[in-house]
Amino acid sequence: MKILSSIKRQVFFTGSILIVLSAILPGPLLAKALRVAVIPFQVNAEKDFSFLQKGIVDMLISRLSWEDKVSVISREETQAAMNQDPSAVNENTARKLGARLSADYVLYGSLTIFGSSVSMDAKILDVSGKSPALSFFNESRGMDEVLPRINLIAQEINEKIFNRKSAERPLAPAQGTQAPNIYTHPEKLFENELSGGASGQGSSFIVSQQDGKASLLKRSRNFNFQISGIALGDLDGDNKTETVLLTENKIFIYRFQDGQMLQLKEIDGKPHLKFFSVDVADIKPDGRAEIFVSVMNTVANNLESFVLEWNGNDFALLASNENWFFKTLNLPKRGTVLFGQRKGLTELYGPGVFELSWNGRQYSQQSKIYLPNGVNIFNFSLGNFLARATESLVILDSSDYLGIFSLTGKKEWVSDQKFGGNEKYLASPFVEDAEKDRGSETLHYLPQRLLVVDLNRDGINEVIVVKNDSFTGRVLDRYRQFNKTQFEALSWNGQNLQANWNTREMSGYISDYAIGDLDNDGRMDLVAANVSGRESLLAKGKSALLYFDLEAAAAKTQ
């Protein structure tokens, strides 16, 4: 009896302790983490968007996971449970799948893509059926809004179901100011940045790493098309700069005059030709710069690049149907040099990058430049960065990491952060990976330019490079969308490339940039194409030119 009485007292004591702990300790310390299953969204489209399906799942797993509170079931575990019952996903099968996975909630949905129209339907279910499902539906034009909408769905689920406040929601405005609208067009946000916001006192655009001084950015008028390439040079020999703007199937030639961009020429391309790169340089030379346009025939899958020149009356073809990727570099000791690389038979880039020269009839290859494996014509530049007698290579690799290499291929330094970021790509139908299905396209994203310039005239080159980014990061293997951007100017400090100055972060996406005297004031500018609206079947693109005085930027680092 005494033993039984002792046991009762222990049970009573233990129960009392648990009651007290449950009253004073936060619920999450005692509660079991909720389990959530994310079923891959069904994608209804003519093309293969499996990359987008994977990216949506990855994004939802990242946004919904909450340490000790919400556990998102792994993709592999969810797929294994789905394989047991391959029935079409609906509310009934989703709930059964959730029970099989011991999940508390199941999230599933579909994406329908027709032309540039995208509709999204999603639902999250309480597997127990105790609370109603939360549904989402959205229709949009183009792919631009898919990832932002997924992000908003995750935020709403976190807030309404898991009682989790999102740090990504806009903060309340300070007294006397107006909160930015998250649905405001990027161009409107950008205009607000240029005017200095509500104060109108101007924009702190270039930020020195030494003293924090700044200079004002200038902006052209809007262009109702999506600029994919830009180049500057004297095309007609009058010592004035013309600006060449490229879209996927048009060339526009402008001159800055009387405070505005005046259009001189518009050249249309054939529908099956994709223009993807443009450079301007006087290679012949005759005092007039030629326009080098790299062009892909999307039907025949071959290069049909061409060169234009001013003949005194109009811009005429100097060379056509060229099997060259063209690129010009302004080398410190040699001036402007033209490079070329042929398209490969089974790969996009053929072996070897060569210097090209004009022989009176065509552009012919000269000496071959040594480049490390995996480097193509578009992701390298040359300069004296290390204060040595010989030049070095600066490379932006396929993963957008910046590196310095010797001309013999020795790695001097590689960055631990990403630069560049380009939405422009070439698609090749051939198979480069044996594990990929035949007939599937491989997307080759082009690297951004690397501008090499001696800003402070000390004989050592700096590198100017853009950094495009987005709130979704680079979560997808195939689909890229950037909505914020900035520039950095970097120089060698003995151990690595460090930033001398950077621009503040801006809205939009920089598609291409160049150095030249855009406004013909005798001073060199950094000129960038800022894209605020993408081209689609139902909408025109929208772009503007951003430019600022490089001499002012150099002065801030001295």
Side-chain angles (χ1 to χ4, degrees):
M1 292 294 293
K2 289 182 178 180
I3 294 175
L4 184 58
S5 177
S6 175
I7 292 174
K8 287 181 178 179
R9 283 196 300 270
Q10 291 179 25
V11 171
F12 175 78
F13 178 76
T14 303
S16 300
I17 291 296
L18 290 174
I19 292 171
V20 172
L21 287 174
S22 65
I24 64 174
L25 289 178
L29 291 180
L30 297 176
K32 176 182 164 185
L34 295 171
R35 283 171 59 86
V36 178
V38 178
I39 300 176
F41 278 34
Q42 179 182 336
V43 178
N44 307 306
E46 294 180 352
K47 295 184 179 180
D48 178 18
F49 282 94
S50 55
F51 70 95
L52 184 59
Q53 185 182 57
K54 177 179 179 293
I56 289 173
V57 172
D58 289 342
M59 191 172 181
L60 287 169
I61 290 175
S62 172
R63 297 296 191 270
L64 297 178
S65 296
W66 192 8
E67 188 175 1
D68 298 328
K69 297 180 182 180
V70 178
S71 173
V72 181
I73 300 167
S74 71
R75 180 203 308 276
E76 293 75 18
E77 187 178 352
T78 300
Q79 188 60 54
M82 292 176 64
N83 292 340
Q84 296 178 28
D85 183 8
S87 304
V89 178
N90 52 40
E91 187 167 336
N92 184 44
T93 57
R95 187 168 275 115
K96 288 181 179 179
L97 179 64
R100 192 177 303 129
L101 288 165
S102 299
D104 298 286
Y105 292 91
V106 176
L107 174 60
Y108 68 100
S110 64
L111 209 65
T112 301
I113 304 170
F114 183 75
S116 64
S117 176
V118 182
S119 62
M120 180 166 50
D121 198 349
K123 184 177 290 188
I124 183 166
L125 295 172
D126 178 354
V127 176
S128 69
K130 294 178 181 178
S131 56
L134 190 62
S135 298
F136 311 88
F137 180 76
N138 170 256
E139 289 183 327
S140 61
R141 292 181 179 180
M143 304 292 290
D144 300 17
E145 294 185 25
V146 173
L147 294 184
R149 291 293 177 183
I150 292 293
N151 192 59
L152 290 175
I153 286 174
Q155 289 180 10
E156 192 166 347
I157 291 172
N158 281 330
E159 292 176 0
K160 292 186 177 181
I161 293 182
F162 303 136
N163 196 28
R164 177 186 183 185
K165 293 184 179 179
S166 173
E168 296 182 5
R169 290 288 188 186
L171 300 176
Q175 189 173 1
T177 65
Q178 184 176 359
N181 184 345
I182 63 172
Y183 298 106
T184 299
H185 194 282
E187 181 186 329
K188 297 298 183 183
L189 291 175
F190 186 72
E191 289 172 353
N192 186 53
E193 291 167 358
L194 288 179
S195 64
S199 66
Q201 297 300 313
S203 166
S204 298
F205 181 62
I206 303 174
V207 181
S208 167
Q209 300 300 309
Q210 298 175 358
D211 55 22
K213 292 181 181 179
S215 69
L216 184 65
L217 169 71
K218 297 179 182 179
R219 182 179 189 274
S220 75
R221 66 175 176 84
N222 285 332
F223 299 96
N224 291 321
F225 50 82
Q226 182 177 338
I227 300 173
S228 61
I230 180 173
L232 296 92
D234 180 7
L235 301 179
D236 56 3
D238 66 350
N239 295 318
K240 297 291 184 181
T241 299
E242 281 75 43
T243 301
V244 181
L245 302 181
L246 197 71
T247 73
E248 283 200 353
N249 59 2
K250 287 180 183 288
I251 300 170
F252 297 89
I253 301 175
Y254 288 87
R255 177 184 290 170
F256 193 95
Q257 187 172 314
D258 299 325
Q260 59 182 327
M261 298 293 291
L262 300 179
Q263 182 174 314
L264 305 179
K265 185 73 175 181
E266 177 180 339
I267 302 170
D268 293 332
K270 297 178 181 179
H272 64 283
L273 298 181
K274 180 177 182 177
F275 301 166
F276 59 88
S277 178
V278 63
D279 283 282
V280 165
D282 183 11
I283 301 298
K284 289 180 66 173
D286 59 4
R288 301 189 302 269
E290 303 102 80
I291 303 172
F292 297 88
V293 185
S294 297
V295 182
M296 181 68 76
N297 184 324
T298 58
V299 175
N301 190 42
N302 63 327
L303 282 176
E304 292 187 16
S305 301
F306 59 84
V307 184
L308 297 171
E309 70 167 350
W310 177 254
N311 63 11
N313 297 307
D314 201 355
F315 291 96
L317 280 173
L318 178 64
S320 61
N321 294 319
E322 295 283 328
N323 183 29
W324 288 112
F325 295 100
F326 287 124
K327 174 180 180 174
T328 63
L329 290 179
N330 188 12
L331 303 183
K333 296 180 181 179
R334 302 178 52 195
T336 303
V337 177
L338 175 66
F339 292 92
Q341 184 173 15
R342 296 191 183 278
K343 183 180 177 298
L345 295 176
T346 59
E347 295 182 344
L348 181 62
Y349 300 106
V353 174
F354 301 88
E355 291 188 24
L356 301 181
S357 64
W358 177 251
N359 63 14
R361 293 176 291 103
Q362 62 183 6
Y363 291 93
S364 59
Q365 72 181 49
Q366 304 299 314
S367 59
K368 180 179 178 180
I369 182 171
Y370 176 84
L371 294 173
N373 290 334
V375 178
N376 63 63
I377 189 170
F378 294 117
N379 61 353
F380 83 95
S381 190
L382 287 163
N384 184 2
F385 311 104
L386 311 181
R388 297 176 181 172
T390 59
E391 294 176 333
S392 300
L393 292 164
V394 57
I395 292 169
L396 194 61
D397 68 20
S398 59
S399 298
D400 285 336
Y401 288 100
L402 196 63
I404 299 290
F405 292 77
S406 72
L407 290 179
T408 60
K410 178 185 175 183
K411 181 175 70 175
E412 302 282 355
W413 169 83
V414 174
S415 68
D416 57 4
Q417 60 174 308
K418 292 191 175 188
F419 293 85
N422 206 340
E423 295 179 8
K424 186 166 52 178
Y425 65 86
L426 294 177
S428 55
F430 43 78
V431 177
E432 294 183 348
D433 186 340
E435 295 181 359
K436 291 183 179 180
D437 294 334
R438 291 198 171 273
S440 63
E441 286 188 330
T442 300
L443 301 189
H444 302 266
Y445 280 95
L446 300 177
Q448 289 281 2
R449 290 184 192 267
L450 295 169
L451 299 182
V452 175
V453 60
D454 183 5
L455 288 173
N456 53 11
R457 298 181 177 87
D458 63 354
I460 307 299
N461 293 127
E462 289 81 46
V463 180
I464 298 178
V465 62
V466 74
K467 291 176 71 175
N468 287 315
D469 205 349
S470 66
F471 71 88
T472 57
R474 304 170 195 233
V475 67
L476 302 179
D477 295 334
R478 287 169 60 92
Y479 178 72
R480 290 186 178 186
Q481 181 75 59
F482 301 106
N483 57 14
K484 56 184 179 180
T485 186
Q486 66 179 157
F487 281 95
E488 284 195 10
L490 308 111
S491 64
W492 188 255
N493 66 3
Q495 294 183 321
N496 53 50
L497 286 178
Q498 69 173 12
N500 289 336
W501 54 259
N502 61 273
T503 64
R504 61 185 175 77
E505 196 171 84
M506 303 169 287
S507 301
Y509 152 66
I510 299 299
S511 60
D512 197 11
Y513 48 100
I515 292 176
D517 184 10
L518 174 82
D519 51 5
N520 288 302
D521 66 352
R523 297 163 67 91
M524 300 304 285
D525 305 301
L526 173 61
V527 187
N530 180 270
V531 176
S532 57
R534 275 63 168 184
E535 197 85 25
S536 69
L537 293 176
L538 301 178
K540 289 185 177 181
K542 184 172 288 188
S543 313
L545 298 182
L546 315 180
Y547 59 105
F548 66 92
D549 193 327
L550 276 178
E551 293 183 33
K556 297 181 184 306
T557 65
Q558 296 175 348

Coordinates of all heavy atoms in Angstrom, one line a residue, residues 165-206:
K165 N 4.5 36.5 -39.2 CA 4.6 37.8 -39.9 C 5.8 37.8 -40.8 O 6.8 37.3 -40.5 CB 4.7 38.9 -38.9 CG 3.5 39.1 -38.0 CD 3.6 40.3 -37.1 CE 2.4 40.5 -36.3 NZ 2.5 41.7 -35.3
S166 N 5.6 38.3 -42.0 CA 6.6 38.3 -43.1 C 7.4 39.5 -43.0 O 6.9 40.6 -43.1 CB 6.0 38.1 -44.4 OG 7.0 38.2 -45.4
A167 N 8.7 39.4 -43.1 CA 9.6 40.5 -43.1 C 9.6 41.2 -44.5 O 10.1 42.3 -44.7 CB 11.0 40.1 -42.7
E168 N 9.1 40.5 -45.5 CA 9.1 41.0 -46.8 C 7.9 41.9 -47.2 O 7.8 42.5 -48.2 CB 9.2 39.8 -47.8 CG 10.4 39.0 -47.7 CD 10.5 37.9 -48.7 OE1 9.6 37.8 -49.6 OE2 11.4 37.1 -48.7
R169 N 7.0 42.0 -46.2 CA 5.9 42.9 -46.4 C 6.4 44.4 -46.3 O 7.3 44.6 -45.6 CB 4.8 42.7 -45.4 CG 4.0 41.4 -45.5 CD 3.1 41.4 -46.7 NE 2.3 40.2 -46.7 CZ 1.5 39.9 -47.7 NH1 1.4 40.7 -48.8 NH2 0.7 38.8 -47.7
P170 N 5.8 45.3 -47.1 CA 6.3 46.7 -47.0 C 6.1 47.2 -45.6 O 5.1 47.0 -44.9 CB 5.4 47.4 -48.0 CG 4.9 46.4 -48.9 CD 4.8 45.1 -48.1
L171 N 7.1 47.9 -45.1 CA 7.0 48.5 -43.8 C 6.1 49.8 -43.8 O 5.9 50.4 -44.8 CB 8.4 48.9 -43.3 CG 9.4 47.7 -43.2 CD1 10.8 48.3 -42.8 CD2 8.9 46.7 -42.2
A172 N 5.6 50.1 -42.6 CA 4.8 51.3 -42.5 C 5.6 52.5 -42.8 O 6.8 52.6 -42.4 CB 4.2 51.4 -41.1
P173 N 5.1 53.5 -43.5 CA 5.9 54.7 -43.9 C 6.2 55.5 -42.6 O 5.4 55.6 -41.7 CB 5.0 55.4 -44.9 CG 3.6 55.0 -44.5 CD 3.7 53.6 -44.0
A174 N 7.3 56.2 -42.7 CA 7.6 57.2 -41.7 C 6.6 58.3 -41.8 O 6.0 58.6 -42.8 CB 9.0 57.7 -41.8
Q175 N 6.4 59.1 -40.7 CA 5.4 60.1 -40.6 C 5.8 61.2 -41.7 O 6.9 61.6 -41.8 CB 5.4 60.8 -39.2 CG 4.3 61.8 -39.0 CD 4.2 62.2 -37.6 OE1 5.0 61.8 -36.8 NE2 3.2 63.1 -37.3
G176 N 4.8 61.6 -42.5 CA 5.0 62.6 -43.5 C 5.4 62.0 -44.8 O 5.7 62.8 -45.7
T177 N 5.6 60.7 -44.9 CA 6.0 60.1 -46.2 C 5.0 59.1 -46.6 O 4.1 58.7 -45.9 CB 7.4 59.4 -46.1 OG1 7.2 58.3 -45.2 CG2 8.4 60.3 -45.5
Q178 N 5.0 58.7 -47.9 CA 4.1 57.7 -48.4 C 4.8 56.4 -48.7 O 5.9 56.4 -49.3 CB 3.5 58.3 -49.8 CG 2.4 57.4 -50.4 CD 1.8 58.0 -51.6 OE1 2.2 59.1 -52.0 NE2 0.9 57.3 -52.2
A179 N 4.2 55.3 -48.3 CA 4.7 54.0 -48.5 C 4.8 53.7 -50.0 O 3.9 54.0 -50.7 CB 3.9 52.9 -47.8
P180 N 5.9 53.0 -50.5 CA 5.9 52.6 -51.9 C 4.9 51.5 -52.1 O 4.7 50.6 -51.3 CB 7.3 52.1 -52.0 CG 7.8 51.7 -50.7 CD 7.1 52.6 -49.7
N181 N 4.3 51.6 -53.3 CA 3.3 50.6 -53.7 C 4.1 49.4 -54.3 O 4.8 49.6 -55.3 CB 2.3 51.2 -54.7 CG 1.2 50.2 -55.1 OD1 1.3 49.0 -54.9 ND2 0.2 50.8 -55.7
I182 N 3.9 48.2 -53.8 CA 4.6 47.1 -54.3 C 4.2 46.7 -55.7 O 4.9 46.0 -56.4 CB 4.5 45.8 -53.4 CG1 3.0 45.4 -53.4 CG2 5.0 46.1 -52.0 CD1 2.8 44.1 -52.7
Y183 N 3.1 47.3 -56.2 CA 2.7 47.0 -57.5 C 3.0 48.1 -58.5 O 2.7 48.1 -59.7 CB 1.2 46.7 -57.6 CG 0.8 45.5 -56.7 CD1 0.1 45.7 -55.5 CD2 1.0 44.3 -57.2 CE1 -0.2 44.6 -54.8 CE2 0.7 43.2 -56.4 CZ 0.1 43.3 -55.2 OH -0.3 42.3 -54.4
T184 N 3.7 49.2 -58.0 CA 4.1 50.3 -58.8 C 5.0 49.8 -60.0 O 5.9 49.0 -59.7 CB 4.8 51.4 -58.0 OG1 3.9 51.8 -57.0 CG2 5.3 52.5 -58.9
H185 N 4.8 50.3 -61.2 CA 5.7 50.0 -62.3 C 7.1 50.4 -62.0 O 7.4 51.4 -61.4 CB 5.2 50.7 -63.5 CG 5.8 50.1 -64.8 ND1 7.1 50.4 -65.2 CD2 5.3 49.3 -65.7 CE1 7.3 49.8 -66.3 NE2 6.3 49.1 -66.7
P186 N 8.1 49.5 -62.3 CA 9.5 49.8 -62.0 C 10.0 51.2 -62.5 O 10.8 51.8 -61.8 CB 10.3 48.7 -62.7 CG 9.3 47.5 -62.7 CD 8.0 48.2 -62.9
E187 N 9.4 51.6 -63.6 CA 9.8 52.9 -64.2 C 9.4 54.0 -63.2 O 10.2 55.0 -63.0 CB 9.2 53.1 -65.5 CG 9.6 54.4 -66.2 CD 8.9 54.7 -67.5 OE1 8.6 53.7 -68.1 OE2 8.6 55.8 -67.7
K188 N 8.2 53.9 -62.6 CA 7.8 54.9 -61.7 C 8.6 55.0 -60.5 O 9.0 56.0 -59.9 CB 6.3 54.7 -61.3 CG 5.3 54.8 -62.5 CD 5.4 56.2 -63.1 CE 4.3 56.3 -64.3 NZ 4.4 57.6 -64.9
L189 N 9.0 53.8 -60.0 CA 9.9 53.8 -58.8 C 11.2 54.4 -59.1 O 11.8 55.1 -58.3 CB 10.1 52.3 -58.3 CG 8.9 51.6 -57.7 CD1 9.2 50.2 -57.5 CD2 8.4 52.3 -56.5
F190 N 11.7 54.1 -60.4 CA 13.0 54.6 -60.8 C 13.0 56.1 -60.9 O 13.9 56.8 -60.5 CB 13.4 53.9 -62.1 CG 14.8 54.3 -62.5 CD1 15.9 53.8 -61.8 CD2 15.0 55.2 -63.5 CE1 17.2 54.1 -62.2 CE2 16.3 55.5 -63.9 CZ 17.4 55.0 -63.2
E191 N 11.9 56.7 -61.4 CA 11.8 58.1 -61.6 C 11.8 58.8 -60.2 O 12.4 59.8 -60.0 CB 10.5 58.5 -62.3 CG 10.6 58.1 -63.8 CD 9.2 58.3 -64.5 OE1 8.2 58.6 -63.8 OE2 9.2 58.2 -65.7
N192 N 11.2 58.1 -59.2 CA 11.2 58.6 -57.9 C 12.6 58.6 -57.3 O 13.1 59.5 -56.6 CB 10.3 57.8 -57.0 CG 10.2 58.4 -55.6 OD1 9.8 59.5 -55.4 ND2 10.4 57.6 -54.6
E193 N 13.4 57.6 -57.6 CA 14.8 57.5 -57.2 C 15.6 58.6 -57.8 O 16.4 59.3 -57.1 CB 15.4 56.2 -57.6 CG 14.8 55.0 -56.8 CD 15.2 53.7 -57.4 OE1 15.9 53.7 -58.4 OE2 14.8 52.6 -56.9
L194 N 15.4 58.9 -59.1 CA 16.2 60.0 -59.7 C 15.9 61.3 -59.1 O 16.8 62.2 -59.1 CB 15.9 60.0 -61.2 CG 16.5 58.8 -62.0 CD1 16.1 58.9 -63.5 CD2 18.0 58.7 -61.9
S195 N 14.7 61.6 -58.7 CA 14.3 62.9 -58.2 C 14.6 63.0 -56.7 O 14.3 64.0 -56.1 CB 12.8 63.1 -58.4 OG 12.0 62.2 -57.7
G196 N 15.2 62.0 -56.1 CA 15.5 62.1 -54.7 C 14.3 61.8 -53.8 O 14.3 62.3 -52.7
G197 N 13.3 61.1 -54.3 CA 12.1 60.9 -53.5 C 11.3 62.1 -53.3 O 11.2 63.0 -54.1
A198 N 10.7 62.3 -52.1 CA 9.8 63.4 -51.8 C 10.6 64.7 -51.7 O 10.1 65.8 -51.9 CB 9.1 63.1 -50.5
S199 N 11.9 64.6 -51.4 CA 12.7 65.8 -51.1 C 13.0 66.6 -52.4 O 13.1 67.8 -52.5 CB 14.0 65.5 -50.4 OG 14.8 64.7 -51.2
G200 N 13.2 65.8 -53.5 CA 13.5 66.4 -54.8 C 14.9 67.1 -54.8 O 15.2 67.9 -55.6
Q201 N 15.8 66.6 -53.9 CA 17.1 67.3 -53.8 C 18.2 66.6 -54.6 O 19.3 66.9 -54.5 CB 17.5 67.3 -52.3 CG 16.6 68.1 -51.4 CD 16.6 69.5 -51.8 OE1 17.6 70.1 -52.0 NE2 15.4 70.1 -51.9
G202 N 17.8 65.7 -55.4 CA 18.8 65.0 -56.3 C 19.1 63.6 -55.7 O 18.9 63.3 -54.6
S203 N 19.8 62.8 -56.5 CA 20.1 61.4 -56.2 C 21.5 61.2 -55.9 O 22.4 61.6 -56.6 CB 19.6 60.6 -57.4 OG 20.1 59.3 -57.2
S204 N 21.8 60.5 -54.7 CA 23.1 60.1 -54.4 C 23.4 58.8 -55.2 O 23.2 57.7 -54.7 CB 23.3 59.9 -52.9 OG 23.1 61.0 -52.2
F205 N 23.9 59.0 -56.4 CA 24.0 57.8 -57.3 C 25.3 57.1 -57.2 O 25.4 55.9 -56.9 CB 23.8 58.3 -58.8 CG 23.8 57.2 -59.7 CD1 22.9 56.2 -59.7 CD2 24.8 57.2 -60.7 CE1 22.9 55.1 -60.6 CE2 24.8 56.1 -61.7 CZ 23.9 55.1 -61.6
I206 N 26.4 57.8 -57.4 CA 27.7 57.2 -57.3 C 28.2 57.3 -55.9 O 28.3 58.4 -55.4 CB 28.8 57.8 -58.3 CG1 28.3 57.7 -59.7 CG2 30.1 57.1 -58.1 CD1 29.2 58.5 -60.7

